[in-house]
């Protein structure tokens, strides 16, 4: 935009464009996007039905297991997802399968206690544990233990389980387990252990699956992972997929980590990172800290005296007298009941009416007189003081 100055000169004023405004706000835009993504991810992870959680039966993401559930359904396996302990027991009692059928338990957050694991074992004929923790292992198997995390790789079953004869190469990503029990069946060997260990616990068969990568949507179509998953979970026409929740914790048990939803921690991490980023950004913008000396307290009389010396040194008698007049006019307005915005003429008229003085003489003292030397300056200052005293006496006579 071009503008013309009063003297005829022209100049150009640049109006901020949308792009410039966005560039200045890019930090806040990026921060808002990160927070929105974090909240969305937290809400997905926190879904109680398994949608969004790793190996969730309703999760269609690469880490979920929705594809496996659909394949099992097409093969005639009725998959029922439960999220409560008592609901799971009720389901096992109504399957029509002696011993309760096959139960897949994915207790990733460690909600179940030892008594609950043992009760599940008495109700189900086949327990399939997906990457179980130490509580489940100690309650059901005694001597099966986790040995290492497996980040990648494939292996052949290399065991005597008839159900796995159709599989030759299976993804072993997940957790490796091992067992010293003589009757334990160990399959899917890797350098650190086995991707599957199966033991008998009374009348219940317990299968510990560490190679959970083979069950995920992203891997089930690779190698023989689909055959492995169907052989593992398709033995019975009724399959219960149990996802324990915080509601399953016995009264008085549980820690802060187990009682809070799984989306709380990532949300707090996102907020913390956003706060740190904001502090770093604002700190760099403000610059380094500077230590300032405390201000010195100066008395009002010293300030007044210092100004007087400056006026005297520069010979500004008129300016000095104007400062005295301004103060006098303000005090006269207050004493006579006028507002702080009253004009000089209004003040002169009010003072003249109270003191019976000549308005022209009052205006000469309050506005027009211009001192030519210090003696006249002092005389006019005294006149202002006398006028103020006379007005006070007229307003409030003793």
């Amino acid at each position: 935009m071009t503008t013309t100055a009063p003297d005829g000169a022209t100049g150009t004023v640049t109006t901020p464009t949308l792009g410039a405004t966005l560039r200045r706000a890019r930090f806040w835009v990026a921060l808002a996007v990160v927070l929105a993504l974090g909240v969305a991810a937290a809400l997905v992870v926190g879904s109680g039905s398994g949608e969004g959680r790793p190996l969730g039966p309703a999760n269609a993401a690469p880490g979920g297991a929705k594809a496996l559930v659909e394949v099992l359904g097409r093969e005639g396996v009725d998959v029922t997802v439960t999220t409560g302990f008592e609901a799971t027991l009720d389901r096992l009692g109504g399957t029509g399968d002696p011993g309760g059928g096959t139960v897949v338990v994915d207790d990733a957050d460690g909600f179940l206690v030892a008594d609950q694991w043992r009760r599940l074992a008495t109700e189900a004929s086949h327990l399939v544990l997906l990457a179980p923790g130490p509580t489940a292992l100690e309650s059901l198997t005694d001597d099966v233990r986790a040995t290492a995390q497996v980040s990648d790789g494939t292996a052949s079953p290399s065991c005597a389980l008839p159900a796995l004869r159709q599989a030759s190469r299976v993804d072993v990503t997940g957790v490796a387990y091992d067992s010293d029990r003589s009757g334990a069946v160990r399959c899917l060997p890797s350098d650190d252990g086995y991707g599957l260990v199966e033991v008998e616990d009374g009348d219940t068969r317990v299968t510990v699956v560490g190679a959970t990568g083979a069950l995920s949507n992203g891997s089930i179509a690779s190698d023989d992972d689909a055959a492995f998953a169907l052989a593992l979970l398709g033995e019975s026409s009724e399959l219960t997929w149990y996802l324990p929740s915080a509601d399953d914790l016995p009264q008085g048990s549980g820690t802060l980590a187990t009682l809070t939803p799984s989306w709380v921690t990532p949300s707090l991490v996102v907020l913390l990172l956003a706060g740190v980023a904001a502090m770093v950004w604002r700190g760099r913008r403000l610059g380094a800290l500077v230590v300032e000396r405390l201000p010195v307290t100066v008395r009002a009389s010293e300030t007044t005296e210092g100004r007087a010396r400056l006026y005297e040194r520069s010979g500004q008698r008129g300016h000095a007298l104007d400062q005295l007049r301004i103060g006098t006019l303000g005090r006269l307005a207050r004493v006579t009941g006028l507002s702080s915005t009253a004009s000089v003429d209004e003040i002169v008229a009010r003072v003249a009416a109270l003191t019976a003085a000549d308005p022209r003489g009052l205006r000469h003292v309050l506005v027009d007189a211009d001192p030519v030397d210090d003696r006249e300056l002092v005389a006019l200052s005294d006149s202002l003081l006398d006028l103020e005293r006379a007005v006070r006496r007229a307003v409030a006579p003793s």
Side-chain angles (χ1 to χ4, degrees):
M1 180 176 67
T2 303
T3 61
T4 303
D7 58 359
T10 60
T12 301
V13 178
T14 302
T15 303
T17 63
L18 178 60
T21 303
L22 291 177
R23 282 194 296 272
R24 287 196 298 268
R26 61 183 180 272
F27 171 81
W28 296 110
V29 172
L31 181 59
V33 171
V34 170
L35 288 176
L37 292 176
V39 171
L43 292 176
V44 171
V45 171
S47 177
S49 64
E51 183 178 357
R53 64 179 289 167
L55 290 182
N59 185 3
K66 187 175 182 179
L68 171 59
V69 174
E70 293 179 351
V71 172
L72 288 171
R74 287 196 293 267
E75 294 296 324
V77 179
D78 183 14
V79 181
T80 302
V81 179
T82 60
T83 57
F85 183 72
E86 295 299 330
T88 303
L89 295 181
D90 293 342
R91 165 67 183 170
L92 294 178
T95 58
D97 191 343
T102 302
V103 181
V104 178
V105 186
D106 182 11
D107 190 18
D109 295 317
F111 289 126
L112 299 183
V113 297
D115 290 341
Q116 292 170 315
W117 283 113
R118 285 191 285 268
R119 190 175 175 188
L120 276 176
T122 61
E123 297 291 337
S125 61
H126 184 198
L127 273 179
V128 179
L129 310 182
L130 303 183
T135 302
L137 296 176
E138 292 170 5
S139 303
L140 300 177
T141 65
D142 293 332
D143 57 357
V144 177
R145 62 189 181 279
T147 56
Q149 290 284 338
V150 180
S151 59
D152 196 9
T154 59
S156 62
S158 302
C159 63
L161 286 181
L164 301 184
R165 290 175 180 174
Q166 300 298 323
S168 59
R169 301 297 297 177
V170 177
D171 186 356
V172 294
T173 302
V175 183
Y177 292 88
D178 203 350
S179 174
D180 297 327
R181 183 184 296 191
S182 59
V185 179
R186 295 173 292 183
C187 305
L188 303 176
S190 64
D191 295 337
D192 301 304
Y194 297 87
L196 184 147
V197 177
E198 186 171 284
V199 297
E200 296 288 341
D201 182 42
D203 294 333
T204 303
R205 183 158 48 101
V206 179
T207 302
V208 177
V209 181
T212 54
L215 309 180
S216 66
N217 299 328
S219 299
I220 198 168
S222 304
D223 300 316
D224 295 321
D225 292 347
F228 166 72
L230 289 174
L232 181 67
L233 304 179
E235 294 180 346
S236 173
S237 61
E238 300 286 341
L239 176 67
T240 302
W241 198 304
Y242 175 32
L243 304 174
S245 64
D247 295 335
D248 296 330
L249 286 167
Q251 187 175 3
S253 65
T255 63
L256 181 62
T258 58
L259 292 175
T260 54
S262 57
W263 57 265
V264 171
T265 299
S267 298
L268 292 177
V269 171
V270 170
L271 291 176
L272 178 61
L273 293 177
V276 171
M279 288 188 290
V280 172
W281 175 70
R282 293 299 298 175
R284 294 184 60 187
R285 183 181 181 89
L286 294 176
L289 295 177
V290 177
V291 179
E292 294 183 324
R293 299 177 60 185
L294 293 176
V296 178
T297 302
V298 181
R299 292 179 296 177
S301 59
E302 294 182 6
T303 303
T304 304
E305 185 177 353
R307 287 185 177 181
R309 288 199 182 98
L310 289 175
Y311 293 150
E312 180 183 11
R313 186 176 303 170
S314 60
Q316 297 292 326
R317 299 180 186 88
H319 188 71
L321 182 59
D322 287 341
Q323 299 303 310
L324 298 177
R325 285 168 170 167
I326 291 172
T328 301
L329 288 170
R331 289 189 293 271
L332 290 176
R334 289 195 299 271
V335 170
T336 57
L338 297 173
S339 67
S340 58
T341 59
S343 65
V344 175
D345 292 336
E346 291 175 339
I347 296 173
V348 169
R350 180 64 64 85
V351 171
L354 291 172
T355 61
D358 183 6
R360 290 176 296 178
L362 294 176
R363 185 173 183 84
H364 177 76
V365 174
L366 290 172
V367 180
D368 298 332
D370 187 13
V372 296
D373 54 24
D374 293 342
R375 179 177 296 179
E376 189 172 351
L377 173 61
V378 173
L380 288 171
S381 174
D382 292 340
S383 298
L384 292 173
L385 183 58
D386 293 339
L387 176 60
E388 190 172 344
R389 288 173 180 169
V391 172
R392 291 183 183 277
R393 286 195 301 268
V395 173
S398 57

